[in-house]
């Protein structure tokens, strides 16, 4: 049975999320998730150095086969977009430096892959991941950046040939009928 590890990244300049999935055959399980917290660092270039060092150390520790990274969404604040793009670029550079292939996904695509709806909240994404990966409450991070990163990894897992991904649904009713275990009745 084939195994691989996917690292997911949710870029940020204050807090950057990461999540790692182990894929065995067509089953995913969480290895780790967490954040790189840079809120106490004031120099933006030091933050970028911290991102590179920490992503590199995670790559050395967990040896991912691939990286899935969330693409920056387009906002109104150009300065915020520039900072976020730099943070994403440094994470990508760390992966390239270590020979890790990179796959980029729009936030809408990630939310759609996890919850079935592109406008899902961060809490809905975290809740669905908890069910999909059979995570306990104590496994969940207090930072949604970590679960967003895990969602990027899971999205890539689904895009990379998971048989569930190839199923097409005609309607929400069709989805519910075929996915009773993924639907919450609360």
């Amino acid at each position: 049975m084939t195994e691989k590890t996917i690292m997911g990244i949710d870029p940020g300049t204050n807090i950057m999320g990461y999540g790692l999935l182990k894929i065995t055959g067509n089953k995913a399980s969480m290895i780790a998730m967490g954040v790189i917290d840079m809120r106490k660092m004031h120099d933006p270039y030091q933050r970028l150095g911290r991102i590179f060092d920490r992503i590199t150390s995670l790559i050395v520790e967990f040896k991912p086969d691939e990286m899935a990274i969330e693409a920056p969404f387009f906002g109104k604040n150009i300065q915020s977009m520039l900072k976020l793009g730099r943070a994403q670029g440094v994470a990508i550079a760390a992966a390239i430096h270590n020979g890790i292939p990179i796959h980029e996904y729009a936030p809408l695509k990630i939310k759609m892959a996890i919850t079935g709806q592109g406008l899902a909240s961060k809490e809905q994404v975290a809740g669905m991941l908890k069910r999909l990966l059979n995570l306990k409450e104590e496994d969940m991070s207090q930072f949604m950046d970590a679960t967003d990163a895990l969602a990027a990894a899971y999205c890539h897992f689904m895009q990379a040939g998971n048989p569930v991904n190839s199923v097409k649904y005609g309607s929400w009713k069709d989805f519910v009928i075929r996915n009773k275990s993924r639907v919450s009745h609360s």
Side-chain angles (χ1 to χ4, degrees):
M1 191 172 293
T2 59
E3 276 192 10
K4 72 177 177 178
T5 300
I6 302 171
M7 172 185 259
I9 298 291
D10 178 38
T13 54
N14 288 321
I15 296 176
M16 180 174 280
Y18 65 87
L20 288 118
L21 286 179
K22 178 180 176 183
I23 311 302
T24 308
N26 67 350
K27 183 169 173 20
S29 58
M30 184 183 75
I31 299 170
M33 74 170 150
V35 296
I36 303 166
D37 189 345
M38 297 162 286
R39 292 176 294 181
K40 291 182 179 162
M41 299 176 80
H42 299 292
D43 183 325
Y45 303 109
Q46 292 293 325
R47 287 181 181 204
L48 296 176
R50 171 74 190 256
I51 290 168
F52 187 86
D53 291 344
R54 191 69 182 103
I55 296 295
T56 298
S57 71
L58 289 166
I59 289 169
V60 168
E61 181 179 354
F62 294 106
K63 298 170 185 40
D65 298 290
E66 299 177 274
M67 176 190 277
I69 191 163
E70 185 175 303
F73 58 91
F74 295 100
K76 291 185 173 110
N77 186 327
I78 303 292
Q79 285 300 321
S80 293
M81 286 296 301
L82 178 62
K83 289 175 185 172
L84 192 58
R86 286 178 176 167
Q88 183 199 35
V90 169
I92 289 170
I96 290 168
H97 183 73
N98 288 280
I100 310 289
I102 297 123
H103 306 274
E104 186 175 32
Y105 295 98
L108 187 86
K109 175 100 174 167
I110 294 170
K111 290 176 181 182
M112 185 67 91
I114 305 301
T115 69
Q117 56 176 330
L119 299 176
S121 69
K122 289 177 175 289
E123 291 78 12
Q124 288 171 313
V125 170
M128 186 58 85
L129 279 173
K130 189 175 171 186
R131 285 192 285 282
L132 290 169
L133 296 169
N134 295 314
L135 301 175
K136 297 180 180 74
E137 192 58 43
E138 58 267 20
D139 294 333
M140 301 303 288
S141 173
Q142 68 181 36
F143 294 101
M144 292 292 170
D145 311 81
T147 49
D148 282 355
L150 199 62
Y154 197 89
C155 174
H156 181 62
F157 159 63
M158 293 186 70
Q159 300 304 307
N162 181 8
V164 174
N165 190 45
S166 62
V167 177
K168 300 291 182 224
Y169 301 102
S171 66
W172 275 109
K173 182 178 180 184
D174 188 24
F175 174 85
V176 170
I177 289 168
R178 295 198 217 171
N179 294 278
K180 288 181 172 53
S181 67
R182 292 177 66 188
V183 178
S184 172
H185 298 284
S186 52

